[in-house]
Amino acid sequence: MTKSRRRVVRRLGIVAIVMALIVAGYVSYVAVRHVRPVALPVASGPYLVGRSRVEWTDPARVDPLAPTAGEPRRLAVWLWYPAVAGGDMRPAPYTPGPWVQLHLAAPVGWAESDFTAIRTGAYEYAPVAPGRFPIVVLEPGMGFSAPQYSVLAESLAGHGFMVAAVTPTYSANLTVLGGRIVGAEKAGNPPQLGSHSGEPGAQADRLVGIWAADAHFVAAEVAALDRGGALAGHIDATRVAYIGHSFGGAAALEACRSDPACAGAVDMDGTQFGPVARKGLHSPTLVLGHENSCVTGGCTPSGPDDRDDLAVAQSLIAASSGPVWAFTIDGTAHFDFTDYAAYYLATPLRRFLALGSLDGRRALTITSSLVTTFLDQAMLGHKSAALNTSKSPYPEVRVTHLPR
């Protein structure tokens, strides 16, 4: 070997050693961050937040998504409510028991916060606060589960709302019923979901009706809790709103359209499906979207899917007799409306997920504030200048549509 070749080999060896040390150091850093405690953003409202979990069976409906024919529709529902200190209250774990398997599986899961290290702002067994509180039914995005919206749910409960988050059985990647993990089925989570035409569009329209029926059932069950048990005398069943993310946002709109008592609906970054997209809503409506999202009715389309989403959103707004607010949030992407925005995520995993450049906690703060402000106005009559101006107090927020 010549002297020059030996120098090249030596330099390559040094580079390889340096790269190995860098990789080893980064892996060690990720391992430390994986187990480091992460506190979810603290709810800013005047109340402490209590949390409980229930399982309800709808005897009036045979589950069309179940792999076994004839099963009744069963749902796992998480409840967040305004609370006060006292009793045997204790910090609520983020994903208790089998729910912890919502965590991404190893080795990918090593690049995100360990769910057992996530600290919520809610308390189990906390006494309910004095007063009566309106019902808000929350529906997750396709594949997601109720606990993955803890930041938003805690914020709403802290501001005086009774929040019931549904995990849609056989559509969520994971729910827990009777202590047993239940996964998604093709009927509940179709692989081609998202198109507005053909069989995928027909599947979406059918599924949004099932999810809307889930929301109606859950609202009725929460109202029934006012007649007995720990929440008795604290639920204002005369005021109900439906909110949701992604496909859950579409379901929330349809649930509101088909419930004459609905006081308001919120769609967070969800393409609209079902009759509501053609008929609109009579109730106040808020649509939030990620940066340049076409589901708000205003965007620069980048392809046929965007043009379809834009046309459907504009149809919804035009057909609605109730007031519609629509905003986009700069620097956000689809997952920024979930708790993923608050977790630690190593850079390679973060780039793989639909997360934007805006700090995730900032994104969740803006979303929670806009949803709370909207519900305060729609359900309680507390009008806010922050909602009714062409210039938002948040510089990241772009107004797409305001009521005329």
Side-chain angles (χ1 to χ4, degrees), residues 47-128:
Y47 297 101
L48 292 178
V49 177
R51 196 194 74 193
S52 62
R53 291 171 287 126
V54 293
E55 294 176 16
W56 286 325
T57 299
D58 186 352
R61 286 192 298 157
V62 172
D63 195 334
L65 307 179
T68 304
E71 289 185 11
R73 184 72 169 156
R74 298 176 62 205
L75 296 167
V77 181
W78 289 45
L79 302 173
W80 286 265
Y81 57 89
V84 293
D88 190 29
M89 61 186 290
R90 62 194 69 171
Y94 184 60
T95 48
W99 290 96
V100 76
Q101 293 192 42
L102 280 169
H103 195 277
L104 295 175
V108 176
W110 295 336
E112 71 174 337
S113 294
D114 185 335
F115 281 7
T116 62
I118 293 177
R119 306 290 181 254
T120 74
Y123 296 89
E124 292 183 324
Y125 311 111
V128 63

Side-chain angles (χ1 to χ4, degrees), residues 141-224:
M142 181 61 70
F144 285 92
S145 301
Q148 293 171 299
Y149 295 85
S150 292
V151 173
L152 175 60
E154 289 179 13
S155 178
L156 292 174
H159 283 89
F161 296 97
M162 188 73 60
V163 182
V166 187
T167 298
T169 311
Y170 303 119
S171 293
N173 292 331
L174 183 148
T175 189
V176 179
L177 293 168
R180 183 175 66 89
I181 291 175
V182 178
E185 295 287 340
K186 186 177 180 180
N189 197 331
Q192 300 301 318
L193 192 71
S195 172
H196 292 281
S197 60
E199 181 55 25
Q203 285 181 321
D205 287 348
R206 288 194 296 269
L207 195 54
V208 86
I210 295 169
W211 283 33
D214 288 346
H216 294 157
F217 168 68
V218 167
E221 291 296 298
V222 174

Side-chain angles (χ1 to χ4, degrees), residues 21 140 217 303 339:
L21 290 172
F217 168 68
D339 291 351

